[in-house]
Amino acid sequence: MSVKEIFETMEYGPAPEAAAPGLAWIQERTPFNLFINNQWVKPASGQYIDSINPATGKRLAQVAAATSADVDAAVAAARAAFETWSKAPGHVRARYIYAIARHIQKHARLLAVLESLDNGKPIRETRDIDIPLVARHFYYHAGWAQLMESELPGYQSVGVVGQIIPWNFPLLMLAWKIAPALAMGNTVVLKPARYTSLTALKFAEIVQEIGLPPGVVNILTGEASQVGEALVQHPGINKIAFTGSTDVGRSIRRATAGSGKKLSLELGGKSPFIVFDDADLDSVVEGVVDAIWFNQGQVCCAGSRLLVQENIADRLIEKLRERMEHLRIGDPLDKAVDIGAIVSPGQLKEIQRLVNTGVEEGAVMWQPSWACPTEGYFFPPTLFTNVSPATTIAQVEIFGPVLVSMTFRTPAEAVELANNTRYGLAASVWSENINLALDVAPKLKAGTVWINCTNLFDATSGFGGYRESGFGREGGKEGLYEYVRPKWETLEAPAKEFHIAGESASTNGSKPAVSADEDREFEGGEQLLDGYTPMLPAIDRTPKMFIGGKQTRPDSGYSRDVYDPQGQVIGQVGEGNRKDIRNAVEAAHAAGGWAAGTTHNRAQILYYIAENLSVREDEFARRIVQQTGRSYADAAAEVQAAISRLFSYAAWADKYEGAVHRPPLRGVALAMPEAIGVIGMACPEEYPLLGFVSLVAPAIAMGNTIVVIPSQVAPLSATDCYQVLETSDLPAGVVNIVTGDRDLLSQVLAEHDDVDAMWYFGPAEGCKRVELASAGNMKRTWVSYGHPRDWMDTVQGEGEEFLREATQVKNVWVPYGE
Ligand code: NDP
């Protein structure tokens, strides 16, 4: 080709990256063994599986197929290593993690080439995005290891963590999992995806190279049915961290239910890419390229639903088609290639199937005129228009280079369309009007919102989903809590009976309404009236349900008796059923505006509830005595603690704030703790008032609306609260109370698709049932696994742990500059 011709066509020539170093590295080592206790170990099965280059369809290497015997060995190594690694000073761990970051950089090019060969993604992406982010993640977490003792003083390591990662960002997902786990003093057994194990094996070499103590990191390659499931079920594992499909996430939720294993799930998505009519359309086009054709669209947070304001839709679609015509697909090791290969023939088939469904459903499909390479697994960038929001391609995660577009007229309609999905991983908003963009961002149900940008990631900023996109965050300080647990959890269980000294009933030196050291027993029925004891029966009190701000009768028409410790009936409460729960959830949703109100307002209302409770301190103390048979002083101390707890959350309401991250770009990421939505909660049996307040107060302080099941044996303290709540300006529907059989009602709440989280403080069996039932819509759960908690203790009974459970962090990325 002459220079003149080159200038005329401006065609790119090939710019291949040499595959030789990567291939040589593979050749020297294949077949690869398992990495256990810093040794390369043959798999117990003696079996190996092929690893294929998706760009050619040819075999690259063979990797060991681990089975449960290898899982046992790896977990044993990790357990032994945990003893010393978790006790090592943070500075020691920081040095090792820092060394890993350094060595990732030293081997950066080899890792980038291996990743492209193994996964099929363009070298431009592995070289400039995946591998630099991997190094950054280890650097960032070396810092958290250093700071753990001072920044997370009340926390300890979780133990041995089983980590299961997908094939779309093989080394990056490894980094997201291993870096925080190690920083917080855990040891790990990691399973890479079967299609993409090579960079994890190179990582194992780095672990050896830097001299990480044996057993801290173990890597088991193989099949999901052999390694993945064995890891999930292994009794020696304390936590599972998983990234992958929602279906597998759901099965892991079910498999770990009731086991006490901590769990974090990063699952699928169908993220909206919202374009308002004042957006810079040329930037938008490049944004779309990054949103859906980055990594062939095999990205959990891919902007796969293009939502465009109607008046600019035609213009944008035309520009997009023009741009698509110029995208280059082909050899992933060619530096001028935009789109590489799809990871496997199975994935390719699935993409084709969903595209066919789109066409059958009446959407209009468009693909560029050029053809894909015939060798290997390639799929062209694809654009659907005329898509209706309920169709398969608008709802199902395609996980390929396929974009579906829809239009809207108003910002409200855009938000509604955007949230019309079972997922909630990410969203992208494009507008030159920053006021509009920042107004829309909090209304989107998504863990990350990018404004005028997309698919930006950094270790500072937590990443993770809402709804069926899973729970837990990776990155940022919030991500660390996935790998720690409160120190008090390993302390001796508190004694069943709490004998509170008389003086503890009086806090801050104020005089209690009734002398605490009186220590008298409550005598019901007889009341002194003007010095004369009438022979009048006490006026019957009928505690009902509290739903939507109204006291309502139970749907069942039945009541259940409440007994004192001697077995005497002391009252009746409504026998709640499925219908009552449904009404309560509806009322809680209708009160959703609570989250949008000011934190100042929420604080004021919590103070007001405390004030109104304190006016009736004596009555509440007596009620506790009546239900529990505890001493009056003890009961009065519980009421005082409840009042103090309300003050604590009133204080926190306007102080539990987010952070402004400075990722390495011109811009900021605003980490905002947001309410989760509707939380269902089952209160502990002990401490009828304090247990109730300890759960209700943090949840509503953070803007959630709730459906509460009070203590089953002692519900009257909660039902007595109706009047306190009614007189404290709390909007109707923010707190809904349904009495009855705790486990039956918890089951209904945990199964309910419109409940966003479920808290359960009760026996281990009940915890398991709640975790199992929650898998339906992947709601977040917080359960006690039957472990008692000292509710009187301010470390165990209140504080950040509760606030964290009541919120989820949304990261809003705001770049700036021209
Ligand atoms: P999977 O969820 O099946 O795989 C993810 C990881 O989990 C892999 O390591 C896999 O092992 C392992 N795994 C699979 N089943 C189990 C199990 N029962 N117990 C324990 N571990 C298990 O994703 P796929 O690779 O099959 O992809 C299917 C779809 O999932 C994609 O089309 C896409 O929609 C979605 N996906 C989403 C991702 C995300 O980041 N959100 C990432 C990848 C996929 P193995 O590789 O051996 O099968």
Side-chain angles (χ1 to χ4, degrees), residues 164-168 191-195 222-224 228-229 232 242-245 248 251-252 266-268 300 347 397-399:
I164 301 172
I165 57 173
W167 41 260
N168 54 345
K191 177 197 146 14
R194 64 153 298 177
Y195 298 131
E223 311 250 14
E229 289 179 18
V232 167
F242 170 80
T243 298
S245 60
V248 174
S251 76
I252 292 178
E266 302 285 343
L267 310 175
C300 47
Q347 188 66 18
E397 182 182 42
I398 299 176
F399 226 65

Side-chain angles (χ1 to χ4, degrees), residues 504-507 510-516 520 609-625 632-644 689 717 720 724:
S504 67
S506 164
T507 53
S510 68
K511 198 170 177 298
V514 176
S515 162
R520 62 189 171 185
I609 295 173
E611 184 185 322
N612 286 328
L613 181 58
S614 79
V615 171
R616 301 168 62 172
E617 217 174 299
D618 174 56
E619 175 197 332
F620 272 87
R622 287 165 188 267
R623 186 62 114 177
I624 293 168
V625 172
Y632 183 87
D634 218 12
E638 180 178 340
V639 180
Q640 283 293 339
I643 293 168
S644 165
L689 178 67
S717 298
D720 285 351
V724 173

Side-chain angles (χ1 to χ4, degrees), residues 222-418:
E223 311 250 14
S225 58
Q226 298 294 323
V227 195
E229 289 179 18
L231 261 182
V232 167
Q233 276 154 13
H234 204 289
I237 296 265
N238 304 96
K239 174 194 160 79
I240 293 286
F242 170 80
T243 298
S245 60
T246 295
D247 285 346
V248 174
R250 188 173 283 122
S251 76
I252 292 178
R253 165 70 294 175
R254 292 195 174 116
T256 55
S259 65
K261 288 188 180 110
K262 243 176 117 90
L263 180 63
S264 50
L265 298 172
E266 302 285 343
L267 310 175
K270 190 78 181 174
S271 299
F273 187 105
I274 307 169
V275 186
F276 288 100
D277 61 3
D278 62 351
D280 169 359
L281 289 195
D282 291 321
S283 302
V284 167
V285 169
E286 291 316 307
V288 172
V289 171
D290 285 342
I292 187 67
W293 294 307
F294 169 55
N295 202 20
Q296 298 70 249
Q298 302 168 129
V299 183
C300 47
C301 52
S304 51
R305 284 186 299 145
L306 176 65
L307 310 180
V308 197
Q309 202 149 15
E310 196 177 72
N311 51 332
I312 54 155
D314 290 346
R315 213 152 31 105
L316 179 59
I317 296 295
E318 196 184 311
K319 274 176 176 286
L320 260 182
R321 287 181 178 159
E322 167 70 18
R323 182 69 177 90
M324 288 165 75
E325 199 60 54
H326 291 94
L327 288 171
R328 290 169 56 86
I329 198 163
D331 178 7
L333 285 179
D334 183 339
K335 283 168 238 163
V337 146
D338 299 307
I339 303 182
I342 301 295
V343 75
S344 70
Q347 188 66 18
L348 185 65
K349 222 166 125 191
E350 179 63 6
I351 296 169
Q352 186 62 64
R353 185 186 72 78
L354 285 163
V355 166
N356 294 346
T357 306
V359 174
E360 283 157 21
E361 285 179 339
V364 176
M365 188 200 67
W366 190 89
Q367 289 174 336
S369 58
W370 43 259
C372 287
T374 46
E375 195 191 31
Y377 321 127
F378 291 89
F379 198 87
T382 302
L383 171 65
F384 274 106
T385 50
N386 198 29
V387 177
S388 96
T391 50
T392 309
I393 53 167
Q395 292 294 331
V396 170
E397 182 182 42
I398 299 176
F399 226 65
V402 183
L403 180 65
V404 299
S405 76
M406 287 165 271
T407 58
F408 64 86
R409 289 187 181 163
T410 62
E413 213 177 290
V415 169
E416 204 169 314
L417 259 183

